């Protein structure tokens, strides 16, 4: 097994928390919270993919 890439675990946990936030916002019927959670999820996922591409280009993956 290769070394654990902790940065990707942090991105995954952040994405999970934003999904939980979306569910919570749905529960309290907050449209602003739902939209904020969705935007946050897209930003976190985008940063994760961007980091993965950069690390792959540098040969770190």
């Amino acid at each position: 097994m290769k070394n654990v890439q902790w940065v990707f675990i942090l991105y995954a946990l952040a994405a999970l928390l934003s999904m939980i936030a979306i569910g919570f916002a749905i529960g309290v019927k907050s449209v602003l919270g739902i939209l904020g959670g969705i935007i946050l999820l897209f930003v976190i996922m985008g940063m994760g993919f961007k980091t993965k591409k950069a690390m792959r280009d540098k040969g770190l993956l």
Side-chain angles (χ1 to χ4, degrees), residues 11-60:
Y11 280 130
L13 288 174
L16 177 67
L17 289 174
S18 68
M19 289 181 217
I20 291 171
I22 293 168
F24 183 77
I26 290 171
V28 297
K29 297 179 178 141
S30 169
V31 176
L32 187 60
I34 295 168
L35 293 175
I38 291 171
I39 291 170
L40 186 62
L41 179 62
F42 276 106
V43 168
I44 291 168
M45 294 293 287
M47 288 172 49
F49 286 126
K50 185 177 177 181
T51 303
K52 185 174 181 178
K53 182 179 181 339
M55 289 180 76
R56 188 180 304 132
D57 289 344
K58 291 180 182 178
L60 298 174

